[in-house]
């Protein structure tokens, strides 16, 4: 079950998303765009030659289509599902003003 959820909504697995609310949405958006940027950069021949010699000669159309569709669907599903995480309320931290903590 966790494998299926990890493949469908991978951006909800980050610990920052567990906080819920706007922080979760910002984390999902940031992470998704970083992954998309890495995916686009990996399509350049220079990067492919650096990672695997000779891979720039292969046809990667099917792989790009499948990964692109998966990324789009999982990204949209993560954005849709972040609302299901209730935002956590944080307790204010009070300081008593004593100096014993600094000694």
């Amino acid at each position: 079950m966790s494998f299926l959820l990890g493949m469908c909504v991978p951006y909800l697995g980050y610990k920052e998303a567990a906080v819920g609310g706007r922080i979760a949405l910002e984390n999902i958006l940031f992470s998704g765009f970083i992954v998309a940027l890495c995916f686009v950069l990996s399509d350049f021949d220079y990067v492919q030659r650096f990672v695997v010699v000779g891979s720039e000669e292969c046809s990667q159309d099917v792989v790009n289509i499948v990964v692109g569709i998966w990324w789009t669907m999982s990204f949209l599903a993560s954005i849709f599902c972040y609302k299901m995480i209730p935002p956590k309320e944080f307790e204010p931290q009070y300081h008593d003003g004593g100096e014993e903590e600094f000694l």
Side-chain angles (χ1 to χ4, degrees):
M1 185 66 176
S2 62
F3 176 77
L4 181 64
L5 285 175
M7 292 302 290
C8 293
V9 285
Y11 302 105
L12 294 182
Y14 296 121
K15 66 179 179 178
E16 291 86 4
V19 176
R22 184 176 174 182
I23 295 172
L25 178 61
E26 289 173 359
N27 182 50
I28 291 168
L29 291 173
F30 180 75
S31 301
F33 286 123
I34 293 295
V35 170
L37 180 65
C38 291
F39 178 67
V40 169
L41 289 177
S42 72
D43 197 36
F44 291 116
D45 288 341
Y46 178 76
V47 175
Q48 289 179 4
R49 275 192 301 268
F50 179 74
V51 176
V52 178
V53 177
S55 66
E56 71 274 5
E57 302 296 326
C58 300
S59 175
Q60 300 169 356
D61 295 340
V62 174
V63 173
N64 288 341
I65 290 170
V66 170
V67 172
I69 290 171
W70 169 79
W71 178 84
T72 303
M73 299 304 288
S74 66
F75 185 65
L76 292 175
S78 295
I79 290 173
F80 176 75
C81 292
Y82 96 93
K83 294 179 181 179
M84 296 179 186
I85 303 172
K88 292 185 179 178
E89 295 188 22
F90 296 99
E91 297 288 328
Q93 300 293 322
Y94 297 108
H95 188 280
D96 64 355
E99 291 185 8
E100 56 275 350
E101 294 180 18
F102 301 108
L103 294 177

XYZ file of all heavy atoms in Angstrom:
819
model
N 0.820 -1.192 0.000
C 0.000 0.000 0.000
C 0.869 1.263 0.000
O 0.553 2.230 -0.671
C -0.930 -0.032 1.225
C -1.901 1.087 1.259
S -3.036 0.914 -0.109
C -4.125 2.222 0.194
N 1.953 1.225 0.783
C 2.804 2.409 0.843
C 3.516 2.639 -0.491
O 3.747 3.788 -0.874
C 3.821 2.289 1.975
O 4.674 1.194 1.758
N 3.855 1.559 -1.211
C 4.465 1.715 -2.529
C 3.498 2.401 -3.481
O 3.883 3.310 -4.228
C 4.884 0.347 -3.085
C 5.422 0.429 -4.482
C 6.705 0.894 -4.713
C 4.641 0.041 -5.553
C 7.204 0.980 -6.000
C 5.137 0.116 -6.842
C 6.414 0.587 -7.071
N 2.245 1.983 -3.454
C 1.235 2.572 -4.325
C 1.037 4.054 -4.012
O 0.998 4.889 -4.917
C -0.089 1.813 -4.186
C -1.232 2.298 -5.062
C -0.890 2.088 -6.531
C -2.502 1.568 -4.711
N 0.937 4.390 -2.743
C 0.788 5.796 -2.364
C 2.031 6.598 -2.717
O 1.938 7.758 -3.128
C 0.489 5.926 -0.871
C -0.925 5.569 -0.458
C -1.061 5.610 1.052
C -1.922 6.506 -1.099
N 3.198 5.994 -2.547
C 4.438 6.677 -2.891
C 4.551 6.974 -4.376
O 5.135 7.973 -4.773
N 3.992 6.113 -5.193
C 4.019 6.345 -6.635
C 2.932 7.323 -7.075
O 3.109 8.050 -8.044
C 3.853 5.024 -7.385
C 5.027 4.088 -7.239
S 6.593 4.785 -7.784
C 6.357 4.852 -9.540
N 1.806 7.336 -6.376
C 0.688 8.202 -6.772
C 0.831 9.629 -6.244
O 0.548 10.588 -6.955
C -0.630 7.611 -6.290
S -1.054 6.081 -7.111
N 1.221 9.764 -5.011
C 1.364 11.094 -4.396
C 2.720 11.192 -3.688
O 2.788 11.287 -2.466
C 0.198 11.405 -3.427
C -1.055 11.749 -4.171
C -0.053 10.263 -2.479
N 3.815 11.205 -4.448
C 5.140 11.160 -3.823
C 5.487 12.410 -3.033
O 6.276 12.343 -2.092
C 6.081 10.997 -5.014
C 5.350 11.572 -6.164
C 3.902 11.264 -5.898
N 4.904 13.542 -3.359
C 5.282 14.786 -2.698
C 4.641 14.938 -1.326
O 4.991 15.842 -0.584
C 4.951 15.975 -3.596
C 5.648 15.866 -4.924
C 4.953 15.511 -6.069
C 7.015 16.065 -5.015
C 5.604 15.375 -7.280
C 7.668 15.926 -6.226
C 6.954 15.584 -7.346
O 7.605 15.441 -8.543
N 3.717 14.057 -0.980
C 3.133 14.094 0.365
C 3.984 13.323 1.361
O 3.722 13.360 2.553
C 1.715 13.517 0.348
C 0.685 14.317 -0.434
C -0.674 13.646 -0.327
C 0.601 15.743 0.047
N 5.011 12.640 0.906
C 5.862 11.852 1.786
C 6.918 12.654 2.508
O 7.573 12.144 3.404
N 7.112 13.907 2.148
C 8.115 14.731 2.812
C 7.635 15.143 4.192
O 6.443 15.380 4.401
C 8.422 15.981 1.992
C 9.031 15.690 0.651
C 8.414 16.104 -0.519
C 10.218 14.996 0.550
C 8.976 15.844 -1.750
C 10.795 14.729 -0.677
C 10.167 15.158 -1.823
O 10.722 14.892 -3.032
N 8.559 15.244 5.129
C 8.171 15.585 6.495
C 7.586 16.990 6.582
O 6.772 17.265 7.453
C 9.340 15.429 7.458
C 10.466 16.406 7.226
C 11.566 16.201 8.232
C 12.692 17.185 7.957
N 13.758 17.084 8.899
N 7.983 17.880 5.668
C 7.432 19.234 5.685
C 5.959 19.241 5.296
O 5.212 20.129 5.695
C 8.214 20.148 4.742
C 9.619 20.442 5.196
C 10.617 19.384 4.763
O 10.225 18.438 4.034
O 11.781 19.485 5.167
N 5.525 18.252 4.521
C 4.118 18.185 4.112
C 3.230 17.732 5.260
O 2.028 17.991 5.254
C 3.955 17.248 2.926
N 3.811 17.071 6.264
C 3.023 16.588 7.395
C 2.497 17.726 8.253
O 1.563 17.540 9.021
C 3.854 15.640 8.253
N 3.071 18.905 8.109
C 2.605 20.067 8.880
C 1.236 20.508 8.388
O 0.418 20.996 9.146
C 3.627 21.220 8.773
C 3.134 22.468 9.461
C 4.958 20.788 9.338
N 0.984 20.307 7.109
C -0.305 20.666 6.539
C -0.393 22.135 6.186
O 0.539 22.909 6.396
N -1.519 22.521 5.638
C -1.771 23.922 5.316
C -0.895 24.456 4.198
O -0.479 23.742 3.299
N -0.628 25.748 4.284
C 0.127 26.439 3.238
C 1.570 25.951 3.146
O 2.154 25.907 2.069
C 0.096 27.934 3.511
C 0.760 28.741 2.458
C 0.633 30.205 2.707
N 1.413 30.932 1.731
C 1.527 32.221 1.712
N 0.912 32.946 2.618
N 2.256 32.810 0.802
N 2.157 25.577 4.278
C 3.536 25.075 4.265
C 3.623 23.802 3.427
O 4.564 23.615 2.662
C 4.032 24.834 5.703
C 4.107 26.160 6.453
C 5.377 24.151 5.708
C 4.403 26.022 7.920
N 2.645 22.929 3.564
C 2.635 21.696 2.774
C 2.516 22.002 1.289
O 3.222 21.409 0.467
C 1.497 20.790 3.224
N 1.641 22.926 0.932
C 1.465 23.286 -0.471
C 2.748 23.879 -1.043
O 3.171 23.525 -2.146
C 0.304 24.267 -0.644
C 0.056 24.743 -2.074
C -0.275 23.569 -2.977
C -1.030 25.790 -2.105
N 3.385 24.780 -0.303
C 4.632 25.378 -0.776
C 5.707 24.317 -0.962
O 6.471 24.357 -1.933
C 5.110 26.446 0.197
C 4.257 27.687 0.196
C 4.644 28.671 1.280
O 5.578 28.379 2.064
O 4.021 29.738 1.341
N 5.789 23.363 -0.052
C 6.777 22.304 -0.161
C 6.505 21.414 -1.375
O 7.430 21.018 -2.087
C 6.793 21.465 1.112
C 7.846 20.392 1.065
O 8.989 20.655 0.751
N 7.441 19.175 1.348
N 5.251 21.094 -1.619
C 4.883 20.269 -2.773
C 5.228 20.995 -4.073
O 5.811 20.405 -4.991
C 3.392 19.903 -2.724
C 3.132 18.935 -1.569
C 2.920 19.315 -4.043
C 1.678 18.734 -1.256
N 4.901 22.277 -4.166
C 5.197 23.041 -5.373
C 6.699 23.147 -5.615
O 7.185 22.931 -6.719
C 4.578 24.439 -5.282
C 3.055 24.498 -5.329
C 2.574 25.915 -5.059
C 2.541 24.010 -6.663
N 7.452 23.474 -4.565
C 8.901 23.618 -4.696
C 9.540 22.292 -5.108
O 10.354 22.247 -6.037
C 9.496 24.125 -3.376
C 10.977 24.311 -3.421
C 11.523 25.391 -4.099
C 11.822 23.413 -2.799
C 12.898 25.562 -4.156
C 13.193 23.576 -2.848
C 13.729 24.659 -3.527
N 9.182 21.219 -4.443
C 9.760 19.911 -4.742
C 9.392 19.457 -6.148
O 10.233 18.908 -6.879
C 9.272 18.870 -3.738
O 9.628 19.236 -2.442
N 8.154 19.671 -6.543
C 7.716 19.270 -7.874
C 8.441 20.005 -8.975
O 8.823 19.408 -9.990
N 8.669 21.299 -8.784
C 9.375 22.055 -9.809
C 10.864 21.722 -9.849
O 11.477 21.745 -10.916
C 9.143 23.553 -9.632
C 7.766 23.969 -10.045
C 6.927 24.610 -9.170
C 7.289 23.693 -11.324
C 5.647 24.980 -9.545
C 6.014 24.061 -11.713
C 5.190 24.711 -10.818
N 11.452 21.372 -8.729
C 12.852 20.933 -8.727
C 12.978 19.615 -9.501
O 13.899 19.433 -10.303
C 13.385 20.778 -7.289
C 13.473 22.126 -6.601
C 14.726 20.063 -7.267
C 14.475 23.073 -7.205
N 12.057 18.687 -9.274
C 12.075 17.419 -9.999
C 11.874 17.663 -11.498
O 12.559 17.065 -12.332
C 11.014 16.452 -9.447
C 10.841 15.236 -10.335
C 11.368 16.041 -8.033
N 10.957 18.558 -11.857
C 10.723 18.864 -13.273
C 11.963 19.489 -13.901
O 12.324 19.152 -15.042
C 9.526 19.810 -13.407
N 12.645 20.354 -13.179
C 13.861 20.970 -13.692
C 14.952 19.920 -13.933
O 15.616 19.920 -14.976
C 14.359 22.042 -12.726
C 15.632 22.770 -13.131
C 15.407 23.577 -14.401
C 16.099 23.664 -12.002
N 15.112 19.011 -13.000
C 16.091 17.928 -13.171
C 15.730 17.040 -14.365
O 16.611 16.603 -15.115
C 16.179 17.084 -11.903
S 16.918 17.950 -10.517
N 14.447 16.779 -14.547
C 13.990 15.962 -15.667
C 14.294 16.647 -16.998
O 14.772 16.014 -17.948
C 12.497 15.673 -15.523
C 11.924 14.870 -16.649
C 12.305 13.559 -16.846
C 10.999 15.426 -17.514
C 11.775 12.812 -17.885
C 10.462 14.696 -18.547
C 10.854 13.378 -18.738
N 14.039 17.935 -17.075
C 14.307 18.673 -18.310
C 15.809 18.736 -18.577
O 16.260 18.543 -19.711
C 13.687 20.085 -18.234
C 14.176 20.966 -19.367
C 12.166 19.994 -18.250
N 16.598 19.002 -17.541
C 18.051 19.068 -17.719
C 18.634 17.726 -18.146
O 19.616 17.683 -18.892
C 18.721 19.541 -16.432
C 18.517 21.010 -16.068
C 19.167 21.316 -14.725
C 19.062 21.923 -17.153
N 18.042 16.638 -17.688
C 18.557 15.321 -18.036
C 18.341 14.972 -19.504
O 18.917 14.005 -20.001
C 17.910 14.247 -17.154
O 16.559 14.051 -17.520
N 17.555 15.749 -20.205
C 17.305 15.482 -21.619
C 18.385 16.086 -22.522
O 18.470 15.727 -23.691
C 15.929 16.005 -22.017
C 15.445 15.410 -23.319
O 15.732 14.215 -23.554
O 14.798 16.124 -24.096
N 19.220 16.957 -21.996
C 20.291 17.539 -22.796
C 21.392 16.507 -23.038
O 21.753 15.743 -22.146
C 20.870 18.781 -22.116
C 19.924 19.941 -22.078
C 19.459 20.434 -20.880
C 19.498 20.541 -23.254
C 18.589 21.505 -20.834
C 18.622 21.614 -23.224
C 18.167 22.101 -22.015
N 21.912 16.509 -24.248
C 22.938 15.524 -24.616
C 24.185 15.632 -23.749
O 24.797 14.624 -23.398
C 23.315 15.679 -26.093
C 22.228 15.186 -27.018
O 21.368 14.406 -26.545
O 22.233 15.573 -28.198
N 24.578 16.841 -23.396
C 25.778 17.023 -22.563
C 25.611 16.327 -21.214
O 26.525 15.650 -20.737
C 26.058 18.516 -22.376
C 27.246 18.779 -21.492
C 28.540 18.597 -21.963
C 27.078 19.177 -20.167
C 29.630 18.821 -21.150
C 28.165 19.394 -19.350
C 29.448 19.224 -19.845
O 30.525 19.431 -19.033
N 24.441 16.488 -20.612
C 24.174 15.851 -19.308
C 24.113 14.338 -19.476
O 24.648 13.587 -18.653
C 22.870 16.399 -18.693
C 22.517 15.672 -17.416
C 22.982 17.896 -18.446
N 23.496 13.867 -20.535
C 23.401 12.426 -20.763
C 24.777 11.804 -20.989
O 25.056 10.707 -20.500
C 22.498 12.142 -21.965
C 21.053 12.423 -21.681
C 20.174 12.170 -22.880
O 20.639 11.703 -23.917
N 18.899 12.473 -22.751
N 25.652 12.498 -21.729
C 27.018 11.993 -21.920
C 27.776 11.932 -20.603
O 28.582 11.039 -20.385
C 27.778 12.880 -22.899
C 27.552 12.543 -24.339
C 28.556 13.258 -25.228
N 28.498 14.707 -25.094
C 27.759 15.503 -25.856
N 27.025 14.981 -26.814
N 27.769 16.797 -25.684
N 27.499 12.872 -19.726
C 28.175 12.897 -18.427
C 27.706 11.746 -17.537
O 28.496 11.116 -16.847
C 27.920 14.239 -17.722
C 28.549 14.345 -16.377
C 29.915 14.524 -16.251
C 27.777 14.254 -15.234
C 30.507 14.629 -15.007
C 28.356 14.347 -13.980
C 29.730 14.537 -13.864
N 26.417 11.441 -17.557
C 25.854 10.415 -16.683
C 26.140 9.014 -17.226
O 26.688 8.161 -16.526
C 24.335 10.630 -16.490
C 23.723 9.521 -15.681
C 24.085 11.971 -15.823
N 25.748 8.749 -18.472
C 25.954 7.433 -19.086
C 26.494 7.660 -20.496
O 25.789 8.200 -21.352
C 24.641 6.617 -19.144
C 24.876 5.286 -19.827
C 24.066 6.422 -17.764
N 27.707 7.234 -20.732
C 28.334 7.419 -22.040
C 27.556 6.621 -23.083
O 27.267 5.444 -22.907
C 29.808 6.963 -21.996
C 30.445 7.080 -23.371
C 30.579 7.771 -20.977
N 27.185 7.300 -24.166
C 26.466 6.652 -25.253
C 24.960 6.742 -25.156
O 24.252 6.399 -26.083
N 24.427 7.205 -24.036
C 22.967 7.261 -23.897
C 22.338 8.349 -24.743
O 21.139 8.299 -25.021
C 22.574 7.456 -22.426
O 23.006 8.722 -21.975
N 23.129 9.328 -25.168
C 22.569 10.400 -25.992
C 22.211 9.904 -27.391
O 21.445 10.545 -28.102
C 23.532 11.590 -26.071
C 24.771 11.337 -26.892
C 25.905 10.688 -26.117
O 25.722 10.333 -24.941
O 26.963 10.513 -26.713
N 22.740 8.746 -27.775
C 22.471 8.173 -29.094
C 21.158 7.395 -29.117
O 20.635 7.109 -30.185
C 23.616 7.241 -29.505
C 24.980 7.914 -29.535
C 25.073 9.012 -30.580
O 24.439 8.872 -31.643
O 25.758 10.009 -30.311
N 20.628 7.023 -27.969
C 19.423 6.199 -27.893
C 18.164 7.050 -28.032
O 18.143 8.214 -27.661
C 19.376 5.451 -26.562
S 20.771 4.372 -26.300
N 17.103 6.438 -28.526
C 15.806 7.099 -28.591
C 15.144 7.018 -27.211
O 14.954 5.925 -26.674
C 14.913 6.428 -29.632
O 13.635 7.006 -29.597
N 14.798 8.152 -26.661
C 14.228 8.200 -25.319
C 12.819 8.782 -25.322
O 12.335 9.247 -24.295
C 15.141 9.016 -24.410
C 16.519 8.414 -24.320
C 17.521 9.334 -23.658
O 17.218 10.457 -23.318
N 18.723 8.842 -23.477
N 12.167 8.735 -26.460
C 10.844 9.324 -26.588
C 9.829 8.671 -25.663
O 9.078 9.355 -24.960
C 10.357 9.233 -28.035
C 11.212 10.052 -28.989
O 11.912 10.964 -28.495
O 11.182 9.782 -30.195
N 9.783 7.338 -25.658
C 8.790 6.623 -24.848
C 9.038 6.877 -23.358
O 8.099 7.134 -22.595
C 8.821 5.112 -25.170
C 7.902 4.348 -24.239
C 8.445 4.871 -26.617
N 10.298 6.843 -22.951
C 10.626 7.089 -21.542
C 10.222 8.502 -21.142
O 9.629 8.716 -20.075
C 12.133 6.852 -21.291
C 12.514 7.265 -19.880
C 12.498 5.412 -21.551
N 10.526 9.482 -21.985
C 10.163 10.864 -21.673
C 8.649 11.047 -21.577
O 8.159 11.766 -20.700
C 10.745 11.811 -22.715
C 12.235 11.961 -22.588
O 12.817 11.658 -21.550
N 12.869 12.434 -23.650
N 7.912 10.400 -22.458
C 6.452 10.512 -22.421
C 5.891 9.883 -21.147
O 5.059 10.482 -20.459
C 5.833 9.878 -23.688
C 6.153 10.732 -24.904
C 4.322 9.718 -23.532
C 5.799 10.082 -26.225
N 6.346 8.677 -20.819
C 5.831 7.976 -19.634
C 6.182 8.732 -18.359
O 5.324 8.951 -17.490
C 6.364 6.524 -19.587
C 6.043 5.866 -18.261
C 5.786 5.719 -20.740
N 7.436 9.139 -18.223
C 7.842 9.869 -17.013
C 7.147 11.224 -16.941
O 6.738 11.664 -15.866
C 9.380 10.019 -16.957
C 9.795 10.941 -15.830
C 10.035 8.659 -16.798
N 6.988 11.891 -18.080
C 6.285 13.177 -18.092
C 4.832 13.052 -17.662
O 4.320 13.868 -16.883
N 4.150 12.018 -18.150
C 2.755 11.790 -17.745
C 2.689 11.440 -16.260
O 1.840 11.955 -15.528
C 2.110 10.693 -18.613
C 1.914 11.204 -20.039
C 0.792 10.221 -18.019
C 1.489 10.136 -21.017
N 3.593 10.569 -15.792
C 3.602 10.201 -14.370
C 3.858 11.426 -13.497
O 3.191 11.633 -12.491
C 4.661 9.130 -14.087
C 4.860 8.934 -12.625
C 4.069 8.223 -11.782
C 5.889 9.501 -11.820
N 4.549 8.305 -10.496
C 5.673 9.083 -10.500
C 6.975 10.323 -12.109
C 6.506 9.470 -9.462
C 7.812 10.694 -11.070
C 7.570 10.263 -9.769
N 4.840 12.248 -13.877
C 5.148 13.435 -13.068
C 3.942 14.360 -13.005
O 3.577 14.848 -11.926
C 6.351 14.194 -13.647
C 6.627 15.423 -12.856
C 7.354 15.511 -11.703
C 6.133 16.737 -13.102
N 7.350 16.799 -11.239
C 6.602 17.576 -12.084
C 5.340 17.290 -14.099
C 6.316 18.930 -12.024
C 5.043 18.654 -14.037
C 5.534 19.445 -13.018
N 3.310 14.608 -14.137
C 2.154 15.514 -14.166
C 1.018 14.992 -13.297
O 0.446 15.732 -12.497
C 1.662 15.701 -15.615
O 2.743 16.185 -16.411
C 0.504 16.668 -15.670
N 0.699 13.714 -13.444
C -0.420 13.145 -12.684
C -0.105 13.099 -11.184
O -0.959 13.423 -10.355
C -0.758 11.745 -13.200
C -1.184 11.725 -14.653
S -2.582 12.801 -15.003
C -3.881 11.903 -14.235
N 1.113 12.707 -10.813
C 1.446 12.627 -9.386
C 1.547 14.013 -8.773
O 1.172 14.219 -7.608
C 2.746 11.854 -9.181
O 3.847 12.541 -9.738
N 2.025 14.983 -9.534
C 2.117 16.353 -9.039
C 0.723 16.930 -8.791
O 0.454 17.514 -7.732
C 2.888 17.200 -10.054
C 3.151 18.610 -9.615
C 3.963 18.869 -8.530
C 2.611 19.675 -10.307
C 4.212 20.167 -8.129
C 2.857 20.963 -9.920
C 3.663 21.221 -8.829
N -0.170 16.734 -9.749
C -1.541 17.231 -9.580
C -2.270 16.497 -8.450
O -3.025 17.107 -7.693
C -2.314 17.096 -10.896
C -1.846 18.016 -12.023
C -2.605 17.699 -13.306
C -1.992 19.476 -11.645
N -2.040 15.193 -8.332
C -2.667 14.431 -7.246
C -2.152 14.898 -5.888
O -2.925 15.004 -4.929
C -2.409 12.940 -7.423
N -0.872 15.204 -5.787
C -0.313 15.688 -4.526
C -0.891 17.050 -4.161
O -1.197 17.307 -2.995
C 1.215 15.786 -4.609
O 1.794 14.517 -4.775
N -1.039 17.918 -5.160
C -1.638 19.232 -4.891
C -3.090 19.076 -4.450
O -3.549 19.769 -3.537
C -1.527 20.131 -6.139
C -0.069 20.527 -6.362
C -2.386 21.375 -6.003
C 0.175 21.278 -7.642
N -3.815 18.164 -5.069
C -5.208 17.941 -4.698
C -5.331 17.357 -3.288
O -6.199 17.738 -2.517
C -5.883 17.012 -5.715
C -7.286 16.661 -5.367
C -8.305 17.574 -5.543
C -7.594 15.413 -4.864
C -9.611 17.257 -5.213
C -8.896 15.077 -4.525
C -9.905 16.009 -4.699
N -4.442 16.429 -2.942
C -4.547 15.706 -1.671
C -3.951 16.439 -0.474
O -4.178 16.033 0.656
C -3.879 14.343 -1.786
S -4.747 13.221 -2.886
N -3.208 17.515 -0.686
C -2.612 18.195 0.464
C -3.691 18.768 1.385
O -3.464 18.930 2.585
C -1.634 19.289 0.013
C -2.228 20.672 -0.054
C -2.147 21.536 1.030
C -2.884 21.119 -1.185
C -2.694 22.803 0.979
C -3.433 22.376 -1.251
C -3.339 23.215 -0.173
O -3.888 24.462 -0.230
N -4.851 19.054 0.847
C -5.938 19.609 1.663
C -6.474 18.603 2.675
O -7.124 18.975 3.632
C -7.069 20.091 0.765
C -6.678 21.252 -0.104
C -7.817 21.682 -0.985
C -7.385 22.832 -1.872
N -8.428 23.291 -2.756
N -6.188 17.326 2.457
C -6.640 16.296 3.390
C -5.793 16.248 4.660
O -6.181 15.599 5.626
C -6.622 14.931 2.709
C -7.580 14.822 1.570
S -7.464 13.202 0.828
C -8.532 13.403 -0.572
N -4.642 16.902 4.651
C -3.775 16.935 5.830
C -4.202 18.115 6.687
O -4.092 19.264 6.264
C -2.299 17.098 5.427
C -1.864 15.985 4.501
C -1.415 17.160 6.664
C -0.493 16.191 3.915
N -4.712 17.854 7.881
C -5.141 18.979 8.724
C -3.930 19.776 9.194
O -2.911 19.205 9.588
C -5.846 18.304 9.904
C -5.291 16.927 9.939
C -4.922 16.573 8.538
N -4.015 21.116 9.132
C -2.877 21.926 9.581
C -2.646 21.754 11.082
O -3.588 21.733 11.871
C -3.272 23.359 9.250
C -4.633 23.314 8.673
C -5.099 21.907 8.611
N -1.397 21.614 11.456
C -1.065 21.464 12.874
C -1.012 22.835 13.526
O -0.553 23.802 12.936
C 0.286 20.768 13.033
C 0.262 19.336 12.603
C 1.583 18.676 12.896
C 1.511 17.215 12.467
N 2.778 16.535 12.688
N -1.484 22.887 14.742
C -1.410 24.127 15.502
C -0.220 24.020 16.441
O -0.049 23.033 17.140
C -2.703 24.356 16.271
C -3.890 24.572 15.349
C -5.125 24.998 16.108
O -4.987 25.515 17.234
O -6.215 24.798 15.568
N 0.577 25.049 16.437
C 1.767 25.050 17.262
C 1.509 25.824 18.545
O 0.872 26.871 18.537
C 2.938 25.676 16.503
C 3.340 24.890 15.303
C 2.919 25.252 14.032
C 4.122 23.763 15.439
C 3.285 24.518 12.931
C 4.504 23.018 14.346
C 4.075 23.404 13.085
N 2.023 25.284 19.638
C 1.924 25.950 20.932
C 3.000 27.028 21.006
O 4.152 26.783 20.657
C 2.136 24.941 22.064
C 1.091 23.855 22.110
C -0.254 24.380 22.589
O -0.270 25.310 23.418
O -1.270 23.878 22.099
N 2.653 28.219 21.482
C 3.685 29.248 21.628
C 4.689 28.844 22.710
O 4.316 28.269 23.732
C 2.909 30.502 22.019
C 1.610 30.009 22.531
C 1.340 28.689 21.874
N 5.948 29.129 22.469
C 7.000 28.813 23.424
C 7.269 30.046 24.277
O 7.629 31.097 23.761
C 8.276 28.395 22.684
C 8.093 27.178 21.818
C 7.827 25.931 22.647
O 8.391 25.750 23.710
N 6.955 25.082 22.146
N 7.079 29.895 25.568
C 7.307 31.008 26.481
C 8.670 30.851 27.129
O 9.128 29.760 27.431
C 6.220 31.048 27.552
C 4.852 31.301 26.968
C 3.903 30.289 26.919
C 4.527 32.541 26.441
C 2.653 30.510 26.372
C 3.282 32.770 25.897
C 2.351 31.752 25.877
O 1.118 31.975 25.327
N 9.305 31.953 27.358
C 10.606 31.974 28.013
C 10.437 32.698 29.334
O 9.856 33.768 29.393
C 11.613 32.705 27.113
C 12.998 32.595 27.614
N 13.484 33.366 28.618
C 14.011 31.777 27.240
C 14.736 33.049 28.851
N 15.081 32.086 28.022
N 10.967 32.106 30.419
C 10.774 32.710 31.739
C 11.750 33.836 32.015
O 11.642 34.529 33.022
C 10.863 31.641 32.833
C 12.232 30.997 32.905
O 13.074 31.314 32.051
O 12.442 30.174 33.803
N 12.726 34.044 31.158
C 13.641 35.163 31.326
C 14.799 34.880 32.262
O 15.588 35.776 32.555
N 14.939 33.665 32.749
C 16.032 33.343 33.645
C 17.355 33.219 32.914
O 17.409 32.912 31.731
N 18.446 33.488 33.645
C 19.758 33.439 33.031
C 20.418 32.068 33.177
O 21.467 31.841 32.612
C 20.668 34.499 33.645
C 20.250 35.897 33.290
C 21.257 36.901 33.816
O 22.317 36.508 34.315
O 20.939 38.088 33.710
N 19.820 31.164 33.911
C 20.438 29.870 34.136
C 20.593 29.065 32.853
O 21.427 28.189 32.760
C 19.679 29.055 35.178
C 18.204 28.835 34.876
C 17.321 29.967 35.345
O 17.776 30.848 36.054
O 16.158 29.963 34.925
N 19.812 29.367 31.820
C 19.932 28.657 30.562
C 21.205 29.050 29.813
O 21.711 28.297 29.009
C 18.738 28.961 29.658
C 17.432 28.427 30.195
C 16.277 28.751 29.273
O 16.523 29.076 28.096
O 15.138 28.684 29.727
N 21.708 30.241 30.065
C 22.829 30.753 29.299
C 24.170 30.524 29.990
O 25.189 30.887 29.466
C 22.643 32.240 29.029
C 21.389 32.527 28.266
C 20.305 33.124 28.881
C 21.284 32.183 26.933
C 19.153 33.377 28.184
C 20.139 32.405 26.241
C 19.064 33.018 26.846
N 24.175 29.947 31.179
C 25.422 29.735 31.897
C 26.111 28.479 31.499
O 25.673 27.550 31.050
C 25.172 29.731 33.407
C 24.709 31.078 33.958
C 24.419 30.933 35.445
C 25.761 32.137 33.740
